[in-house]
Amino acid sequence: MKETFRASMAWLHTWAGLLLGWVLYFMFVTGTAGYLDTEVDRWMQPELPPVAQAVEPAPAAEKALASLAQRAPQADRWFIGLPTGREALHLSIFWQAGRGPQADGDLELDAATGAPLASLGARATGGGQFLYQMHWQLHYLPRAVSDWLVGVAAMFMLVALITGIVVHKKIFADFFTFRPGKGQRSWLDAHNVMSVLTLPFQLMITWSGLVFMMFVYLPLVVSAHYAPDAATGKSGREVFFNETFEGGLHLERAGRPAPLAPLQPMLALAEARWGAGKLSRIDIRYPGDANARVVLRAREDLSPLSSGETLVFDGTNGALLHVLPAVGSTPKAVRDVLLGLHEGLYAGPLLRGLYVLSGLMGAAMIATGLVLWAVKRRQRAAKAGRVHGGLWLVERLNVGGIIGLPVGIAAYFWANRLLPLTLSDRAAWEAHVLFFVWAALLLHAALRPVARAWSEQATVAALAFGLLPVLNALTTHRHLGASLPQGDWGMAGVDLAMLALGAVFAGLARHLVRKARNAARQSASATLMTVEASTVGATR
């Protein structure tokens, strides 16, 4: 009975991993890149000067306020994001038009002058945020489709993790076992090592992703407890989010004009309460109206609890009206901690490095699992003496997916440096280049023998990543020769990471070429022995 149960778990583990393995690999690769989104943003806009560390909130807020008043005087809400460090390098503004004719908009500003960053010559780019958002938005797909596809993939991932734990009776012994050069056994050992080493991270990242997207997958839970508000026209979902995430803060325009109170006293009160550098965002609701409110939010990136205290002021006289605690309820606190752990915004350089390493090893775990499936089926097909149609497809998808996607990401960086700065929709074309190159490598994998496709694409990946710092030096003044002496680790770190990835793929390409040569020699030797045996037999 126990062996039957374990066999069922093994079957479920195999097929749960295969059916959505390429989607999960895509999510892990792009999501891992998202942990370095700020550094990538910095690299992809080399025209911008190094960011000053200390910025006084009051002068920066006044510059943002002047820009908002000029660009969106009739907006329902103004948002100001203050530069607070790694997670917010620049002063940012966003306006929400509400029911008015004006469209929503956003802009990043120079905190020192209030000028838009675009006026400093910064190129249009999707930056690191594009890679980060792509891991759940899947770019070209509608959100309704991508949300559900990502949710199903995450659920399959959770099933694969749990069944993997059940299947591996010697899970900790497997962690210390790796036998290179043993074919299928080596792939299984590598899969086990990657799985066990990063198991806590994989469980956390999968479960937390499902939890904070639960309102997409389980909307009836909200509808069952929150009815629509007939007075305001808000849906049950809107009522729930207002009560849960904004402490019930809700009001409408009074329809009477009133000037906005000076921000400086409110900012000073928040700074005295939280300490210097802890104020993160300013949310002004109905600016210029008698019912205006100014909402100040504390930073959420200082601990795994991705929530901070909120102060609500009367926007016309500056009086403090409400103090909303960071922890409003136990369920929300659990959700906020899971979100904080998933996004890793609180992580310092060392812990962020561990996040990146765990993400890469998670991607490697999925990749080795996909390759292991193909290796097993190839051996079975060889023994049975028949062709496996599904095996042909999986092997080609493995090559084009596992190596083709990283090459596409490298092409995204190349496009950032090579596309004309004046190109219309330049940021969108950076993304198009990524997917064009990826599609080309999928086609290449379909047209070439599998072994050659692996080695050829690994070579392309080594060149694509390894030559990026050279391209950067040829096209900008922010190359390693300048960034390292200046201590600009945001720029230098990306160049060094590209060199490291190039070296990894170069090592892989070398290994694959040697393996192919050895296989060719063995095949030639076997053929020669067969011919000699036939000749001897004929002579006798």
Side-chain angles (χ1 to χ4, degrees):
M1 185 70 178
K2 185 183 293 185
E3 290 304 317
T4 302
F5 173 74
R6 183 168 284 112
S8 300
M9 291 295 100
W11 179 89
L12 185 58
H13 177 81
T14 299
W15 288 100
L18 177 68
L19 292 178
L20 286 165
W22 298 288
V23 176
L24 289 167
Y25 179 78
F26 177 90
M27 291 166 61
F28 265 80
V29 171
T30 54
T32 300
Y35 287 125
L36 300 173
D37 58 341
T38 301
E39 291 75 17
V40 172
D41 285 343
R42 176 83 182 85
W43 191 89
M44 298 185 85
Q45 290 186 313
E47 298 84 4
L48 296 180
V51 180
Q53 294 299 315
V55 175
E56 290 295 325
E62 290 300 332
K63 292 181 178 66
L65 200 62
S67 186
L68 284 163
Q70 177 187 359
R71 288 176 168 79
Q74 304 300 321
D76 280 354
R77 291 176 76 171
W78 291 345
F79 297 87
I80 300 173
L82 296 172
T84 55
R86 182 196 173 275
E87 293 304 325
L89 294 177
H90 304 290
L91 180 64
S92 63
I93 58 174
F94 170 73
W95 57 91
Q96 193 174 63
R99 296 186 177 91
Q102 186 179 23
D104 298 349
D106 63 274
L107 207 60
E108 283 196 321
L109 309 174
D110 181 3
T113 65
L117 293 184
S119 67
L120 301 180
R123 66 189 65 195
T125 178
Q129 275 297 305
F130 166 74
L131 295 175
Y132 164 68
Q133 293 173 9
M134 193 166 61
H135 92 276
W136 85 88
Q137 293 181 355
L138 307 184
H139 194 52
Y140 292 115
L141 295 183
R143 281 298 303 273
V145 176
S146 64
D147 283 348
W148 279 97
L149 181 56
V150 166
V152 171
M155 185 60 71
F156 269 65
M157 177 74 174
L158 189 61
V159 169
L161 289 171
I162 294 172
T163 53
I165 294 171
V166 173
V167 168
H168 293 102
K169 296 181 288 184
K170 302 177 180 179
I171 187 167
F172 292 107
D174 286 343
F175 170 65
F176 296 100
T177 303
F178 180 67
R179 288 155 285 192
K182 300 295 184 182
Q184 177 184 330
R185 184 69 254 180
S186 299
W187 285 111
L188 181 58
D189 287 345
H191 183 69
N192 290 338
V193 169
M194 299 290 182
S195 303
V196 177
L197 187 61
T198 61
L199 182 59
F201 176 82
Q202 310 305 337
L203 288 170
M204 178 276 291
I205 213 75
T206 306
W207 178 247
S208 59
L210 287 169
V211 165
F212 68 75
M213 292 290 284
M214 66 178 293
F215 304 117
V216 174
Y217 311 132
L218 301 173
L220 295 180
V221 174
V222 174
S223 302
H225 297 279
Y226 291 86
D229 188 337
T232 62
K234 300 288 185 182
S235 66
R237 183 182 176 87
E238 291 173 311
V239 172
F240 163 76
F241 276 95
N242 178 55
E243 180 179 313
T244 305
F245 297 101
E246 296 196 351
L249 176 65
H250 175 74
L251 71 162
E252 297 289 340
R253 279 188 181 273
R256 301 187 307 276
L260 191 67
L263 289 181
Q264 200 281 331
M266 303 182 223
L267 303 184
L269 191 153
E271 196 165 61
R273 185 181 183 93
W274 299 330
K278 301 295 178 63
L279 175 62
S280 172
R281 287 173 291 161
I282 304 170
D283 175 2
I284 303 173
R285 310 192 180 191
Y286 305 124
D289 187 81
N291 267 355
R293 294 289 184 270
V294 176
V295 182
L296 304 184
R297 302 186 188 277
R299 290 177 62 174
E300 300 174 350
D301 60 345
L302 299 176
S303 76
L305 179 66
S306 62
S307 181
E309 191 175 69
T310 300
L311 305 181
V312 182
F313 296 86
D314 188 308
T316 60
N317 58 33
L320 179 62
L321 301 179
H322 307 288
V323 178
L324 307 179
V327 180
S329 67
T330 300
K332 181 178 180 297
V334 171
R335 180 259 183 195
D336 289 344
V337 168
L338 288 173
L339 176 60
L341 290 171
H342 187 97
E343 293 186 327
L345 300 182
Y346 68 96
L350 179 60
L351 185 54
R352 185 169 298 277
L354 291 175
Y355 264 91
V356 172
L357 180 61
S358 297
L360 291 175
M361 293 183 72
M365 175 192 72
I366 296 167
T368 52
L370 291 169
V371 171
L372 182 61
W373 187 96
V375 169
K376 284 183 176 180
R377 269 60 188 184
R378 175 169 285 279
Q379 291 177 348
R380 292 178 187 175
K383 289 180 180 178
R386 59 185 177 84
V387 178
H388 193 303
L391 173 63
W392 185 95
L393 178 63
V394 170
E395 286 186 324
R396 270 65 184 178
L397 287 174
N398 279 350
V399 179
I402 293 171
I403 298 187
L405 173 61
V407 174
I409 292 174
Y412 174 69
F413 288 94
W414 279 76
N416 175 263
R417 290 297 189 260
L418 296 178
L419 289 176
L421 299 183
T422 57
L423 179 65
S424 178
D425 294 328
R426 189 177 188 279
W429 274 104
E430 289 179 347
H432 296 332
V433 168
L434 187 160
F435 286 97
F436 286 154
V437 171
W438 189 13
L441 289 178
L442 285 167
L443 179 62
H444 169 268
L447 298 177
R448 298 289 288 164
V450 174
R452 286 181 176 270
W454 276 111
S455 60
E456 289 167 359
Q457 292 202 13
T459 302
V460 171
L463 294 172
F465 283 106
L467 292 178
L468 263 173
V470 178
L471 175 68
N472 185 38
L474 294 174
T475 55
T476 78
H477 64 287
R478 306 300 304 164
H479 49 79
L480 282 172
S483 55
L484 282 175
Q486 294 173 3
D488 188 353
W489 290 105
M491 288 293 295
V494 175
D495 276 339
L496 294 172
M498 297 304 168
L499 287 174
L501 286 171
V504 169
F505 280 111
L508 176 61
R510 184 182 180 188
H511 168 74
L512 291 171
V513 169
R514 283 183 173 180
K515 184 178 178 181
R517 286 176 180 170
N518 291 336
R521 289 194 191 104
Q522 291 175 2
S523 177
S525 298
T527 303
L528 181 60
M529 291 176 65
T530 302
V531 171
E532 289 177 347
S534 300
T535 303
V536 171
T539 303
R540 289 178 178 175

